[in-house]
Amino acid sequence: MEPILTADHLSVAFTRYGRGLSRIALSALTDLSLTVDAGRVTALVGGSGAGKSLLAHAVFHLLPRNAHTAGTICYDGAPLTPARARALRGREISLIPQGITYLDPMMKVGPQVRRGRRDGMSRARCREILARYGLGSEVEELYPFELSGGMARRVLIACAVMDSPRLIVADEPTPGLDSQTAGRVLAHFQELAEQGTGVLLITHDLELARTVAHKIVVLREGRTVDEVPAALFQTGEGLTHPYSRALWQAMPENGLIVDREVSVL
Amino acid sequence: MRHRLQFTIKKLVRMALLLLGVSLSAFLLMDAAPLDPLQTNIGQAALGSMSPEQLARLEEYWGVNTPAAERYLAWLSGALRGDFGVSLLYRRPVAEVISLRLGASVWLLLSAWALAGVLGLTLGVLAGANRGRWPDLLIRAACLTVSSTPSFWLALLLLMVFSVWLGILPIGLAVPIGTAAADVTLPQRLLHALLPALTLSVAGMANIALHTREKAVDVLDSDYIFLARARGERHILIRHVLRNVTLPAITLQFASIGEIIGGSVLVEQVFSYPGLGQAAVAAGLGGDLPLLLGITVITAVLVFGGNLAADLLYGVVDPRIRRGAAKG
């Protein structure tokens, strides 16, 4: 399988001005490596503050100005430079963000999904994609405040799918959804992967990750500690890294043995 | 529908109370002023040469000996019947004087108001989009300087530069001196209104620009702008930022009506522009009670109407209010 995205020893640090003119460097990601394959769902699992979302921001080159990155991100076999990221955004790489606040409150759903394009082809495609996610054409005329949480998530997915991307980065797409709706949203990710898209699912929910992903990457305090097939987290067999084992043991059906190290999750 | 009716009634009651309060306080202030209308308007020398009968007639004309309560109630009962009385200075009905003066001021006020809004919004968005860089610093510095400058001083400064040193703009008045009213051309009127309008608009503009800048910064930091960038959207400023700063901009724009009318009092005085503001100054200093109360009430109505218009426009522009009200 051809990797569509690879991150190699990626680190992100922020500089802030401390007392006077002294600068303080805060490192958020210290050493992140992972690969995302085309046609597969890769889950990046980590606790809050582990730096998961920063990876998404780094891939799109949308980190704040005071951020410094080191290491490499490669897309489709070539380094992802800022200029290349600019050209790929909204064409080949798409972001699915967390929730409704990522929709412009003053704009109807239709124009947002179409990014303002009014031609017949965009309209037809928009209607087709919304229908695929169970949303009727009347949704196009709604404003974000009129959507339910589940509908908003599906609209955001529709936004991402609009341009047939080859890589989708989904940043915590399920919190706040009931398990049934969350399951439907995740099924859409599997469907996208089956059509050949590489999906990077960023989540803190190991349970969800192992049901939907092919591969699980475990992130801890800005550092990847393990990259294993998701199947290992079904049985717990073959999990060698102690942190991964501890995570597995903390799951409800495995005895809920919560290690102090894992409880931050 | 019931909601709309309640809203309208509530607003009308509030306006009636406001006008009552405003006219009463204007009256009390005027009454408390240590100002003898006879001395101010006729002069010490002329008064000295008059007979006691003449003085008594003048005192009666200016209402010097009538008790305050009686004078206010007389004015109020007239005003309620739509009769604002006769201006003591101009010896013509107050309504006529006001409509004449307002006619001269209205273009000045409107152009200053529009200029303040358009410039303020543009500069605010521009500063917000360039946060921390030189256009932002420049615009903010200019706005802060201008909003801490008294408008009459700014008016004098502009007069000095454009009318005295450069000599390209008229020094005052609404029309050229010595021209019959019928012969005045539109370009001449515009040229005379240019400096006063500019002075008036500047203070409002600074306020609108600074507020719009803060809002634009908030919008640019928002999640939906982040997603728009991640989706490679172009024209983010026009598509998202402008759209989301319009609501606060509308409030600011209509709130600035009061500032502009208030500013016109001083600015018209400096430019000898024969408008409503100048009439207000003349009425206040000359003890012309009916005219001053009339002008006070009219301007209060204008300011109140501006705020009401902002409330109504909100319902049209903001989909959350528009659709929410339609459902509820």
Side-chain angles (χ1 to χ4, degrees):
Chain A
M1 193 63 62
E2 185 74 8
I4 185 97
L5 181 81
T6 56
D8 199 19
H9 299 293
L10 182 71
S11 69
V12 176
F14 295 96
T15 52
R16 274 213 318 230
Y17 284 98
R19 195 182 284 259
L21 286 175
S22 66
R23 290 186 190 197
I24 302 167
L26 288 169
S27 61
L29 276 182
T30 38
D31 184 4
L32 187 149
S33 302
L34 59 70
T35 60
V36 178
D37 299 318
R40 287 275 187 275
V41 178
T42 303
L44 180 65
V45 179
S48 46
K52 294 167 303 197
S53 291
L54 284 178
L55 172 68
H57 296 198
V59 168
F60 287 86
H61 275 278
L62 287 174
L63 286 165
R65 243 183 288 166
N66 61 339
H68 302 277
T69 55
T72 49
I73 300 178
C74 285
Y75 171 81
D76 203 13
L80 195 54
T81 59
R84 198 155 166 253
R86 249 197 308 283
L88 290 173
R89 292 200 288 244
R91 288 168 200 272
E92 292 193 17
I93 55 178
S94 284
L95 178 74
I96 298 177
Q98 297 180 10
I100 199 152
T101 55
Y102 286 83
L103 292 171
D104 186 336
M106 296 282 284
M107 201 187 264
K108 287 179 185 172
V109 166
Q112 295 208 53
V113 174
R114 294 194 300 269
R115 280 186 302 187
R117 276 187 233 138
R118 297 207 186 93
D119 55 297
M121 245 176 61
S122 301
R123 279 180 188 281
R125 185 159 166 74
C126 173
R127 212 163 310 139
E128 177 202 319
I129 289 171
L130 287 176
R132 193 193 302 171
Y133 296 114
L135 299 168
S137 58
E138 74 282 354
V139 174
E140 287 181 48
E141 292 301 310
L142 296 182
Y143 284 94
F145 79 98
E146 296 172 294
L147 302 174
S148 70
M151 279 164 93
R153 243 46 89 99
R154 282 178 283 163
V155 167
L156 287 168
I157 297 175
C159 284
V161 172
M162 189 66 190
D163 294 283
S164 338
R166 295 174 62 203
L167 171 70
I168 285 181
V169 180
D171 188 6
E172 298 277 13
T174 54
L177 296 185
D178 58 87
S179 59
Q180 201 187 355
T181 319
R184 261 210 304 275
V185 167
L186 292 176
H188 292 316
F189 292 146
Q190 280 174 320
E191 210 175 273
L192 286 167
E194 275 158 29
Q195 289 155 11
T197 312
V199 178
L200 174 61
L201 175 67
I202 296 172
T203 181
H204 68 282
D205 192 333
L206 187 57
E207 176 66 42
L208 282 173
R210 78 172 181 184
T211 53
V212 69
H214 300 92
K215 185 168 70 181
I216 290 180
V217 180
V218 181
L219 187 69
R220 185 193 180 197
E221 286 167 13
R223 204 179 286 275
T224 40
V225 296
D226 211 355
E227 179 166 344
V228 292
L232 294 193
F233 272 98
Q234 304 292 356
T235 58
E237 299 282 318
L239 284 176
T240 48
H241 195 281
Y243 187 69
S244 302
R245 279 205 68 79
L247 274 184
W248 180 79
Q249 263 174 354
M251 296 181 79
E253 71 275 23
N254 302 326
L256 226 122
I257 304 164
V258 182
D259 205 285
R260 254 198 44 221
E261 286 182 282
V262 193
S263 60
V264 292
L265 218 80
Chain B
M1 204 53 225
R2 220 177 120 232
H3 173 81
R4 287 272 161 86
L5 202 68
Q6 273 180 347
F7 179 79
T8 316
I9 290 172
K10 208 189 273 177
K11 286 282 175 190
L12 284 176
V13 169
R14 201 171 285 177
M15 180 160 117
L17 288 175
L18 176 81
L19 292 183
L20 199 68
V22 162
S23 63
L24 185 62
S25 32
F27 174 83
L28 290 176
L29 281 173
M30 184 90 165
D31 192 55
L35 171 120
D36 181 3
L38 266 62
Q39 286 208 7
T40 319
N41 293 303
I42 297 155
Q44 188 65 46
L47 280 175
S49 66
M50 281 180 185
S51 66
E53 293 81 41
Q54 280 176 310
L55 282 178
R57 285 225 314 272
L58 281 171
E59 280 181 355
E60 196 199 329
Y61 179 77
W62 291 96
V64 177
N65 299 318
T66 322
E70 201 176 306
R71 275 191 294 160
Y72 180 69
L73 288 176
W75 176 83
L76 189 65
S77 72
L80 286 175
R81 279 180 276 116
D83 175 16
F84 286 91
V86 177
S87 162
L88 302 176
L89 284 175
Y90 297 93
R91 292 177 181 275
R92 283 154 75 182
V94 166
E96 198 185 307
V97 176
I98 288 179
S99 71
L100 196 73
R101 291 306 188 110
L102 197 59
S105 277
V106 73
W107 295 111
L108 180 66
L109 295 174
L110 271 182
S111 53
W113 187 58
L115 202 64
V118 172
L119 271 181
L121 188 67
T122 316
L123 289 178
V125 170
L126 227 104
N130 291 293
R131 177 177 22 164
R133 290 196 291 269
W134 67 264
D136 179 31
L137 296 176
L138 202 72
I139 289 170
R140 266 196 301 166
C143 287
L144 287 172
T145 309
V146 157
S147 58
S148 44
T149 307
S151 62
F152 66 87
W153 187 81
L154 195 71
L156 289 173
L157 198 72
L158 287 175
L159 269 182
M160 206 163 79
V161 173
F162 289 99
S163 305
V164 179
W165 291 353
L166 299 175
I168 48 175
L169 288 170
I171 192 114
L173 305 175
V175 294
I177 298 174
T179 315
D183 297 339
V184 181
T185 60
L186 186 66
Q188 279 176 329
R189 281 187 191 279
L190 290 178
L191 213 60
H192 280 79
L194 188 62
L195 278 188
L198 199 68
T199 316
L200 262 185
S201 68
V202 151
M205 179 216 69
N207 185 30
I208 292 176
L210 288 172
H211 278 93
T212 304
R213 185 230 174 230
E214 294 306 308
K215 178 67 185 171
V217 164
D218 285 351
V219 169
L220 281 165
D221 276 340
S222 71
D223 288 344
Y224 53 89
I225 295 297
F226 182 83
L227 183 64
R229 288 200 177 119
R231 295 182 77 201
E233 274 190 33
R234 314 216 181 288
H235 314 302
I236 286 179
L237 269 191
I238 294 168
R239 258 170 71 75
H240 297 291
V241 178
L242 216 51
R243 191 182 288 259
N244 280 280
V245 298
T246 36
L247 281 181
I250 286 174
T251 318
L252 289 169
Q253 178 72 18
F254 281 91
S256 74
I257 291 180
E259 275 173 48
I260 287 196
I261 291 181
S264 76
V265 173
L266 288 174
V267 169
E268 286 183 3
Q269 197 64 20
V270 174
F271 287 99
S272 315
Y273 197 91
L276 199 62
Q278 210 194 28
V281 175
L285 293 179
D288 187 346
L289 191 72
L291 183 60
L292 188 77
L293 289 181
I295 291 176
T296 309
V297 166
I298 287 293
T299 46
V301 167
L302 287 177
V303 172
F304 186 88
N307 289 329
L308 186 67
D311 280 350
L312 295 175
L313 266 178
Y314 245 68
V316 176
V317 176
D318 190 338
R320 282 159 294 196
I321 299 177
R322 185 173 66 232
R323 295 212 171 170
K327 272 181 200 151

